[in-house]
Amino acid sequence: MAQKGVQLDREAFSCSICLDLLKDPVTVPCGHSYCMNCIKSHWDKEDEKTIYSCPQCRQTFTPRPVLVKSTMLAVLVEELKKTGLQAAPADHCYAGHEDVACDVCTGRKLKACKSCLQCLASYCEKHLQPHFEAAPLKKHKLVEPSKKLQENVCSRHNEEMKVFCRTDQQSICYLCLMDEHKGHDTVSAAAERSEKQRELEVSRQNIQQRIQDREKDVKLLQQEVEAINGSADKTVGNSEKIFTELIRLMEKRRSDVKQQVRSQQQTEVSRVRELQEKLEQEITELKRKDAELEKLSHTEDHNQFLHDYPSLSPLSESTPSSSIKSRPLKYFEDVTAAVSEVRDKLQDVLREKWTNISQTVTEMDVLLSGPEPEPKTRAEFFKYSCDITLDPNTAYTLLLLSDGNRKVTVMTEQQSYSSHPDRFTGRCQVLSKESLTGRCYWEVELRGGGVL
């Protein structure tokens, strides 16, 4: 009861903010007391609210109360210090639900700082002192606070278990050794611990070595990621630059074709306009001449007719009509055909080279990529699928290509292919336009007999 009274006094003269004995105590209007610096700091945080409250009862004050040191409380605290009163332990020093509590403390227990394997008890810092001062207790084994001390006691004999039975793989006491474990392979718990400790160290070394190996692997993989990203960024940049140059070249060629066509258009139109104007002038002259002749033909006076007839001017040389109709008019259709031919050739080149580009991208050499397993299912084969376009310049003359040069039919009559050095002449064969590298897969639909 006396200790409880001291505990109450201790709490009565403690600041509820710092949980220590009052320093320069002040009392706020509601009656609660605090260290002057503690309550000042608390209210400094509330300056922006202009309303000040007591940390304990939450009573509010406006304006901010003027703090004056409580002389009486200060004297009492100093007297209590002289009588040996210590500051109250902070809340975090008391044992909570998850903490190991001191087995000696009464009332509200403090956290244990050590557990004794011989005493099978846990002690706070204060109650642990005898283990450092009393000679018999100095030999006791102290460990970190534990809630499982009772697991070191034999449930049958209530004795400390200092022996390990290797036969049954369990800890036992000396009485168990003379009873049901008699004749078993037993050693001291310390000896078994030493052996297991060595095994544990070996396991740790293996784990640490694996950790080092995996860290190296992770570092290599990180370097691989950086290399892949760097290579990809560089390739994308270079590809963008090349395609931009191609687009710029195509734009220039388009502009050149347009300029040449328009220039030739202007030249041809000017030439036709000039001829047209000349013909229109000739028509005007002929009409005028025809009007003179018509007027002369209506003259009734024979002598006048004969007098005027010789004065008629001769006709100028006429532009022959045959020079205009001497050839069919094609205008610029040949230009369109030439541009179309360029387009077709570019499409063929892009189609052929795109397969190489695509395969090169997918077959890049990555650190972790080993030999790929052989495909077995159709879905696995499709990973290597590629489009095949047949080359008409290589087709045997009895083969007919159709469906965008993706279908070939064996015919009985020779096909009218142009002469080409790549054409098969002895066998019924045809090559693809695309060059194939690495592993490739395609499917063929076969109708009729035989295989090409």
Side-chain angles (χ1 to χ4, degrees):
M1 293 297 292
Q3 185 177 0
K4 184 175 181 182
V6 172
Q7 182 69 29
L8 289 174
D9 290 341
R10 206 175 269 171
E11 294 176 357
F13 292 98
S14 296
C15 173
S16 61
I17 296 178
C18 68
L19 303 178
D20 202 350
L21 282 177
L22 292 167
K23 301 179 185 66
D24 296 329
V26 293
T27 303
V28 297
C30 62
H32 291 108
S33 300
Y34 303 95
C35 300
M36 182 175 290
N37 288 336
C38 292
I39 192 63
K40 277 186 177 181
S41 299
H42 178 75
W43 281 349
D44 286 344
K45 297 176 182 178
E46 295 184 343
D47 273 347
E48 56 188 22
K49 302 177 182 178
T50 68
I51 297 178
Y52 306 91
S53 60
C54 173
Q56 287 184 261
C57 65
R58 303 301 179 188
Q59 182 175 341
T60 57
F61 316 109
T62 304
R64 177 170 175 165
V66 177
L67 298 176
V68 179
K69 181 177 179 180
S70 176
T71 306
M72 183 179 294
L73 275 177
V75 171
L76 286 174
V77 170
E78 290 300 322
E79 289 296 327
L80 289 172
K81 284 182 179 180
K82 292 178 182 179
T83 59
L85 182 64
Q86 300 299 322
D91 283 347
H92 62 80
C93 294
Y94 291 108
H97 178 68
E98 300 295 330
D99 301 316
V100 178
C102 176
D103 291 317
V104 181
C105 287
T106 58
R108 188 177 181 184
K109 294 179 177 292
L110 296 176
K111 291 180 182 179
C113 61
K114 292 291 181 180
S115 294
C116 178
L117 295 182
Q118 277 69 32
C119 300
L120 297 178
S122 299
Y123 304 100
C124 66
E125 187 175 354
K126 176 183 177 182
H127 294 123
L128 184 64
Q129 291 304 312
H131 278 75
F132 300 126
E133 298 169 355
L137 298 180
K138 288 182 180 181
K139 299 179 181 180
H140 287 190
K141 177 68 173 178
L142 298 177
V143 296
E144 292 302 312
S146 172
K147 291 184 177 182
K148 300 180 179 180
L149 292 177
Q150 290 302 319
E151 294 181 5
N152 294 326
V153 178
C154 177
S155 59
R156 290 189 59 187
H157 305 109
N158 200 29
E159 293 286 339
E160 183 181 357
M161 296 186 292
K162 297 183 178 182
V163 181
F164 185 80
C165 177
R166 289 178 172 174
T167 303
D168 296 328
Q169 289 294 302
Q170 67 180 77
S171 297
I172 59 176
C173 68
Y174 285 115
L175 294 178
C176 292
L177 183 61
M178 304 300 172
D179 194 0
E180 66 267 24
H181 292 273
K182 186 177 182 180
H184 288 188
D185 181 12
T186 59
V187 294
S188 67
E192 183 68 13
R193 162 65 188 271
S194 297
E195 183 172 340
K196 291 292 190 289
Q197 185 73 29
R198 287 193 295 270
E199 294 177 0
L200 183 146
E201 292 300 326
V202 172
S203 298
R204 285 197 62 204
Q205 290 175 4
N206 292 335
I207 291 174
Q208 290 170 0
Q209 183 61 46
R210 290 180 61 181
I211 291 174
Q212 292 178 3
D213 294 341
R214 293 299 173 264
E215 287 177 344
K216 291 180 180 178
D217 292 340
V218 169
K219 187 175 181 179
L220 287 175
L221 290 175
Q222 181 60 34
Q223 293 174 352
E224 189 73 11
V225 168
E226 294 173 357
I228 292 172
N229 290 337
S231 178
D233 293 343
K234 183 177 179 180
T235 300
V236 169
N238 291 338
S239 299
E240 288 289 331
K241 182 179 179 181
I242 293 170
F243 279 112
T244 300
E245 292 174 354
L246 286 174
I247 294 172
R248 188 181 297 114
L249 178 60
M250 294 300 297
E251 291 286 345
K252 186 177 185 306
R253 291 293 177 260
R254 183 181 69 171
S255 177
D256 291 344
V257 170
K258 180 179 178 181
Q259 182 179 358
Q260 291 181 17
V261 169
R262 293 302 185 192
S263 176
Q264 190 63 26
Q265 174 191 12
Q266 185 176 0
T267 300
E268 293 298 323
V269 168
S270 297
R271 187 179 63 82
V272 173
R273 292 291 189 191
E274 182 180 353
L275 181 57
Q276 182 183 10
E277 183 177 351
K278 184 177 180 181
L279 292 176
E280 288 177 350
Q281 291 176 356
E282 183 178 347
I283 290 172
T284 301
E285 182 181 355
L286 290 173
K287 286 183 178 180
R288 182 183 57 78
K289 193 66 176 178
D290 182 62
E292 291 179 1
L293 294 177
E294 182 184 9
K295 180 179 180 182
L296 183 59
S297 66
H298 289 88
T299 303
E300 295 180 355
D301 187 344
H302 301 308
N303 294 324
Q304 185 65 38
F305 177 85
L306 295 173
H307 178 270
D308 293 338
Y309 185 80
S311 62
L312 293 174
S313 59
L315 292 175
S316 60
E317 184 178 353
S318 176
T319 302
S321 300
S322 58
S323 63
I324 300 175
K325 300 179 181 179
S326 60
R327 60 181 178 84
L329 301 178
K330 291 186 177 180
Y331 303 115
F332 296 99
E333 283 81 354
D334 291 342
V335 177
T336 302
V339 173
S340 298
E341 183 180 357
V342 172
R343 177 200 61 194
D344 296 340
K345 288 184 178 180
L346 283 175
Q347 287 178 342
D348 291 341
V349 171
L350 289 175
R351 187 184 300 110
E352 177 183 354
K353 297 303 179 183
W354 174 249
T355 302
N356 295 341
I357 295 173
S358 180
Q359 289 179 348
T360 303
V361 171
T362 56
E363 292 175 2
M364 63 174 291
D365 184 19
V366 180
L367 178 66
L368 296 180
S369 59
E372 295 188 7
E374 291 292 329
K376 298 180 180 179
T377 65
R378 184 170 182 266
E380 292 174 347
F381 276 108
F382 250 90
K383 178 182 177 182
Y384 307 98
S385 64
C386 56
D387 293 329
I388 298 296
T389 306
L390 303 176
D391 186 359
N393 292 329
T394 66
Y396 185 60
T397 54
L398 291 180
L399 298 180
L400 173 64
L401 304 186
S402 58
D403 193 14
N405 292 339
R406 294 173 59 84
K407 178 179 178 182
V408 58
T409 306
V410 180
M411 309 297 290
T412 57
E413 298 179 356
Q414 298 262 346
Q415 302 301 305
S416 58
Y417 290 123
S418 60
S419 177
H420 198 280
D422 295 336
R423 189 172 310 285
F424 286 101
T425 57
R427 293 192 177 184
C428 204
Q429 294 178 324
V430 61
L431 296 179
S432 69
K433 286 186 175 182
E434 295 79 14
S435 58
L436 304 178
T437 60
R439 178 176 289 168
C440 301
Y441 171 80
W442 63 91
E443 295 181 346
V444 178
E445 181 181 352
L446 179 64
R447 295 180 184 177
V451 177
L452 298 181

